[in-house]
């Protein structure tokens, strides 16, 4: 059904959506962005689905945006860059507004956009060995389209501890920052996620969807104007010299010019 994802639904109505580019550490390509958006639409419209679990195949949950995809934006015109940035923003909005509980099961590391995926989940649980980081500024980029969801989850004060530094932090700090509900030993992750899922199976699905929508309505504003602002901010960074240098340095396996 999808090129970059697998989707399985059990007899209880629990759908497991798995990022499936393990050889690329589940970095999000243009195709994965489109697949995730379509999966969110499909799952949202499926009355047999009660809960969605988002996880990844292989050792990493999600390494963020595919740098090959990002590098390609450097040679595009402004209109194309904006359209590509919108794919990422559209995917995040689709998952954030999914009218089903979305439980993140982070079996491995989450960087950049991977942290954004954790923050659009209603609850995220990770293996205690997982590492995290908003690493965009290391590449001359910024956590733009994920920003509203990161700030909504963490609050501005806590987010500013890691939003700009690109610092890598452990699962315990991710819990303290509010990205994760909790971290558990890797061998206990499946059981912990199942415990999170089970209460929803005793709830009225329509009431769950309405309660989730109300929570979003009462929470920080993430509307079309704000999403457009983040799209423009990302497209602008793609057009800058720092992004060119940062991504070129990554592929050349060298330090970027600003590193001391």
């Amino acid at each position: 059904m999808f090129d970059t994802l697998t989707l399985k639904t059990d007899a209880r109505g629990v759908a497991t959506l798995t990022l499936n580019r393990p050889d690329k550490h589940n970095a999000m390509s243009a195709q994965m962005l489109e697949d995730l958006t379509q999966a969110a639409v499909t799952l949202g419209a499926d009355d047999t689905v009660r809960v969605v679990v988002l996880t990844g195949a292989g050792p990493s949950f999600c390494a963020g945006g595919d740098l090959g995809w990002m590098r390609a934006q450097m040679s595009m015109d402004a209109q194309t860059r904006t359209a590509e940035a919108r794919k990422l923003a559209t995917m995040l909005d689709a998952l954030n507004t999914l009218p089903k509980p979305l439980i993140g099961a982070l079996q491995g590391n989450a960087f950049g956009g991977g942290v954004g995926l954790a923050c659009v989940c209603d609850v995220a649980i990770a293996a205690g060995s997982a590492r995290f980081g908003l690493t965009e500024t290391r590449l001359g980029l910024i956590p733009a389209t994920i920003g509203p969801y990161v700030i909504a989850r963490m609050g501005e004060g806590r987010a500013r501890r890691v939003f700009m530094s690109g610092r890598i932090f452990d699962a315990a700090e991710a819990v303290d920052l509010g990205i994760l509900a909790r971290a558990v030993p890797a061998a206990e992750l499946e059981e912990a996620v199942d415990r999170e899922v089970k209460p929803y199976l005793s709830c009225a699905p329509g009431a769950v969807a309405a309660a989730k929508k109300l929570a979003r309505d009462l929470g920080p504003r993430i509307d079309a104007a704000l999403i457009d602002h983040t799209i423009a901010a990302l497209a602008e960074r793609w057009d800058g010299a720092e992004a060119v240098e940062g991504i070129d340095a990554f592929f050349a396996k060298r330090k970027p010019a600003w590193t001391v």
Side-chain angles (χ1 to χ4, degrees):
M1 185 176 183
F2 301 108
D3 292 337
T4 65
L5 312 171
T6 63
L7 176 59
K8 297 180 179 178
T9 304
D10 68 18
R12 303 174 299 169
V14 178
T16 300
L17 184 62
T18 304
L19 310 180
N20 194 30
R21 299 184 76 211
D23 57 320
K24 300 293 185 181
H25 295 275
N26 297 319
M28 293 183 287
S29 63
Q31 184 62 57
M32 182 179 278
L33 298 178
E34 292 176 6
D35 286 350
L36 281 167
T37 302
Q38 183 56 53
V41 171
T42 300
L43 291 165
D46 188 343
D47 290 339
T48 68
V49 172
R50 303 285 298 275
V51 183
V52 180
V53 175
L54 178 65
T55 190
S60 297
F61 172 65
C62 178
D66 185 284
L67 290 184
W69 171 66
M70 290 189 183
R71 191 181 205 183
Q73 309 318 311
M74 308 306 179
S75 61
M76 301 296 181
D77 58 41
Q79 184 176 4
T80 302
R81 281 195 298 271
T82 298
E84 290 299 297
R86 187 169 295 280
K87 290 179 182 178
L88 179 53
T90 298
M91 177 275 293
L92 292 164
D93 181 59
L95 288 175
N96 190 54
T97 58
L98 178 70
K100 309 289 172 78
L102 181 61
I103 312 300
L106 282 63
Q107 85 291 354
N109 296 344
F111 300 125
V115 174
L117 287 178
C119 289
V120 298
C121 292
D122 299 303
V123 177
I125 304 171
S129 56
R131 295 295 178 266
F132 301 82
L134 291 156
T135 50
E136 289 89 345
T137 53
R138 294 185 177 195
L139 299 166
L141 297 168
I142 57 175
T145 53
I146 67 171
Y149 310 102
V150 171
I151 300 297
R153 174 59 59 83
M154 299 165 66
E156 182 186 349
R158 287 186 297 181
R160 285 169 64 168
R161 287 163 48 184
V162 293
F163 200 73
M164 306 88 76
S165 68
R167 179 171 62 82
I168 306 302
F169 49 95
D170 62 17
E173 187 170 0
V175 172
D176 181 61
L177 288 166
I179 298 168
L180 302 177
R182 56 189 174 278
V184 299
E188 299 175 16
L189 180 61
E190 183 176 355
E191 181 183 353
V193 169
D194 196 53
R195 285 199 303 271
E196 198 68 44
V197 164
K198 281 184 177 179
Y200 288 107
L201 305 180
S202 299
C203 296
V208 169
K212 179 171 179 176
K213 183 179 184 303
L214 180 61
R216 288 189 290 103
D217 291 343
L218 296 173
R221 175 183 59 88
I222 305 177
D223 59 12
L226 181 60
I227 291 171
D228 284 347
H229 177 71
T230 68
I231 290 168
L234 178 56
E236 181 180 3
R237 289 307 304 179
W238 276 343
D239 194 33
E242 286 186 341
V244 173
E245 167 63 11
I247 292 177
D248 281 351
F250 175 86
F251 281 105
K253 295 181 171 57
R254 62 173 176 81
K255 294 180 179 179
W258 52 76
T259 300
V260 295

